[in-house]
Amino acid sequence: MVRVLLPDGSARDLPDGATAADLAASIGRRLARDALIAAADGTEVDLSAPLGDGVSYEIVTAGSERGLHTLRHSTAHVLAQAVLGLFPGATFAIGPPVADGFYYDFELPGGATFSDADLERIEARMREIIGADQPFVRREIDSAEALEVFADHPYKREIIERVSGAGDAEADPGADADPDADPGADADPGADPGADADLAAEAGSDGVVSCYANGEDFVDLCLGPHVPSTGRLGHFALQRVAGAYWRGDSDRPMLQRIYGTAWATAKDLKAHLHRLAEAARRDHRRLARELDLVSWPEELGPGLAVWHPKGALVRHLMEDYSRGRHATGGYEFVYTPHLAKSNLWETSGHLDFYAESMYPPMELDGASYYPKPMNCPFHVMIYRSGQRSYRDLPLRLFELGAVYRYELSGAVHGLLRSRGFTQDDSHIFATAEQVPSELASLLDFVLSVLRAFGFDDFQAKLSTRPPRKAVGPPEMWDLATEGLRAALESAGLDYVTDPGGGAFYGPKIDVDVTDAIGRAWQLSTLQVDFNLPERFDLHYTAPDGRRRRPVMIHRALFGSVERFFGVLLEHYAGAFPTWLAPVQASVLPVAADHAGYAAQVADELRAEGLRVEVAASDEPLGRRGRAAKVQKVPYVLVVGASDVAAGTVGVNPRAAETQRDVPLADLKARMLAEAAPR
């Protein structure tokens, strides 16, 4: 008999040779039906794996994240099986699960590419494989045999050779240089999701390679585990094809990547596809073109945008609001140049840790000048420009500072991931004793500004001291971490803790907002920094006359103005609230006889500071009304003969019922109330 432990603390005895599937069956018929894999002392294993005596087991179903991960991984194998069966001479590379789905990379003979019709054929073949309920069978073989098994598949052979000692299988060729460096920057949701999958996830070590076979002639490298059989799959859809360099290296072959999504139930799949359709409808790049806000001319290069008058107006309103809040919040405004000599970036550490994401230098006057990727060292220079006393602290510096980062072209994504953007950057220099209260005040400030722009659903992550390479004494880390924690709890904000996830120079809070269709966007960051004050030898004079080191707090609220604008555009699907709308009202005279009164209405509203246009009567009224609706103008005002006589307007509010004969004074009051920022 073997005795196993269950998550509830109980134990269960089963016969020798019993498997994880037997354990699930002993617990209940429904669990046996829903089980996908098991976790043995936290390590995921197949249900066919024999039970270990004294081991703690958890049965994993599709209702959990681990279950979904396994379901998607198994569906990726079925995708590869279908492609290799349908396309003689095709070879395959890697196929990991990713957020909400999976992908697999292929190379077709002669450099051919997949068509939409091919995706339909592949999906149909996948459903046949799933209908056949083929078992996933695990095998472990030595690397020599594995090289024979995959003799016709060079990418698999490369993985095997690396694992067997010819290279480092743990390499992550697509990882970003510094995930903490860009507060609020998300990766492109449509781009290659980073490292072309950890190669260690496709093969074992010590010369032993694990494989999974299903069907008569399909086998793939994989550590597993997998669902028991293909019949446990089925709620999936293939979505698109994209190019992907092998191992993320532009000097290696370009492969064909098929993306798919897979879910536990048909209902979940349908809901996800609806979310994707809604996200496509809200894509800020499409809306920016349709609403004449922003464009990305090819002549400028990837990741560089020009702002059209309407988009620039919305941006101006955003920046003015930010300036106003900072002016009343105790901040001092600064301006800094767009580039600096290399010695600044050497002292700050950017050339050691961030050079790959910096633009190359310009050689001038015997020195190397780099466009700035961040504003922080410039603000340090301002702090260091004179003697500082404890009476000067906290010193809060604020700048709308343009920065330039060399993002890989595959990662560039409209305004959400740009090569040139503007940060609403603040750096606070404080005494250690001031840090807790300053952090609480900063978090309140962040949340109030986000609420003003229409966000009210927040999640936060507190990242703490990493186990190694942490700058600063532990007691300072404890003070800063507890200050961040207290700020979160005082604000009543839901948060999770990421133990050891802080940057080497200090703990931080990342604040996510949830948009109108349930997507989370990481926007604002509070980052405590013990590193730059040390690198630049910053001091202040304490009350006892001694020189002490200040603490530096980085605070990005929008993250970047461009990215925040893109998120807002998608959140509102282009229908900005009245205070942010580039045109707040469009006045439509019914006929030419009413044009004079329409101009009078527009002038009176403009006199109140409202943004109004007049749509002349040289086109049919219906067409003009539809054009204003397409441009998502908050108020479409129609004036005819009765309005001229009575001094009224017909009001067609966006997403509200039409009203007739509204006194102009009433309309003014209503619009002015909506035009004021919250």
Side-chain angles (χ1 to χ4, degrees), residues 392-414:
D392 300 320
L393 305 183
L395 175 64
R396 307 181 186 99
L397 303 181
F398 169 72
E399 177 181 17
L400 285 165
V403 296
Y404 306 91
R405 298 180 185 173
Y406 184 71
E407 301 284 358
L408 295 175
S409 58
V412 168
H413 184 66

Side-chain angles (χ1 to χ4, degrees), residues 523-537:
L523 293 179
S524 306
T525 296
L526 300 181
Q527 170 77 65
V528 180
D529 188 348
F530 308 124
N531 180 52
L532 287 184
E534 185 76 27
R535 281 181 171 270
F536 285 96
D537 194 27

Side-chain angles (χ1 to χ4, degrees), residues 310-610:
K310 288 182 179 180
L313 175 57
V314 178
R315 175 174 176 160
H316 178 75
L317 293 167
M318 291 168 52
E319 292 179 347
D320 272 2
Y321 179 82
S322 178
R323 289 188 186 95
R325 291 296 307 272
H326 283 88
T328 59
Y331 289 80
E332 299 186 56
F333 289 40
V334 299
Y335 293 95
T336 61
H338 290 240
L339 72 169
K341 291 193 295 186
S342 59
N343 59 337
L344 180 74
W345 307 113
E346 289 165 358
T347 304
S348 69
H350 285 89
L351 284 180
D352 289 331
F353 300 109
Y354 203 66
E356 290 184 0
S357 295
M358 295 172 67
Y359 271 88
M362 296 172 277
E363 304 297 332
L364 298 167
D365 302 326
S368 298
Y369 287 80
Y370 286 86
K372 63 178 177 179
M374 300 180 192
N375 300 300
C376 5
F378 295 84
H379 293 188
V380 168
M381 293 294 98
I382 294 171
Y383 179 93
R384 208 176 67 172
S385 64
Q387 295 292 326
R388 301 292 177 181
S389 161
Y390 70 94
R391 296 185 182 90
D392 300 320
L393 305 183
L395 175 64
R396 307 181 186 99
L397 303 181
F398 169 72
E399 177 181 17
L400 285 165
V403 296
Y404 306 91
R405 298 180 185 173
Y406 184 71
E407 301 284 358
L408 295 175
S409 58
V412 168
H413 184 66
L415 297 176
L416 302 183
R417 193 86 173 195
S418 304
R419 287 180 171 175
F421 54 94
T422 303
Q423 288 190 300
D424 60 334
D425 231 351
S426 293
H427 293 95
I428 295 89
F429 300 88
T431 69
E433 295 77 14
Q434 291 169 337
V435 166
S437 60
E438 197 65 20
L439 290 171
S441 173
L442 283 170
L443 186 58
D444 285 344
F445 186 90
V446 164
L447 297 180
S448 69
V449 171
L450 293 176
R451 289 188 176 106
F453 283 90
F455 297 111
D456 53 17
D457 186 354
F458 308 109
Q459 305 84 43
K461 180 173 69 176
L462 171 62
S463 300
T464 64
R465 189 176 191 267
R468 293 174 294 179
K469 297 182 180 179
V471 175
E475 57 270 21
M476 286 296 294
W477 276 85
D478 292 343
L479 177 72
T481 301
E482 289 312 307
L484 290 168
R485 193 186 307 278
L488 288 166
E489 292 176 355
S490 175
L493 203 59
D494 290 336
Y495 72 96
V496 296
T497 301
D498 180 15
F504 71 93
Y505 46 84
K508 65 173 181 172
I509 291 173
D510 292 316
V511 178
D512 291 1
V513 301
T514 302
D515 71 6
I517 60 172
R519 296 173 299 181
W521 299 91
Q522 198 270 298
L523 293 179
S524 306
T525 296
L526 300 181
Q527 170 77 65
V528 180
D529 188 348
F530 308 124
N531 180 52
L532 287 184
E534 185 76 27
R535 281 181 171 270
F536 285 96
D537 194 27
L538 303 186
H539 293 93
Y540 69 92
T541 304
D544 60 6
R546 295 184 178 181
R547 295 193 342 147
R548 294 187 181 177
R549 189 84 70 202
V551 177
M552 186 175 179
I553 303 172
H554 304 250
R555 196 239 58 204
L557 200 160
F558 291 158
S560 86
V561 174
E562 287 81 355
R563 184 170 180 277
F564 194 83
F565 179 95
V567 172
L568 277 181
L569 190 54
E570 296 201 4
H571 175 60
Y572 288 114
F576 287 114
T578 303
W579 76 278
L580 276 176
V583 177
Q584 295 169 319
S586 183
V587 186
L588 282 59
V590 172
D593 293 346
H594 315 126
Y597 180 67
Q600 177 187 331
V601 169
D603 287 343
E604 290 195 33
L605 294 176
R606 290 179 187 133
E608 300 290 345
L610 297 167

Side-chain angles (χ1 to χ4, degrees), residues 172-176 194-196 247-248 408:
D172 185 354
D176 286 339
D196 259 336
R247 301 195 63 224
L408 295 175

Side-chain angles (χ1 to χ4, degrees), residues 54-70:
V55 175
S56 176
Y57 280 87
E58 177 185 356
I59 303 300
V60 178
T61 67
S64 67
E65 283 301 315
R66 286 194 297 188
L68 275 176
H69 184 275
T70 304

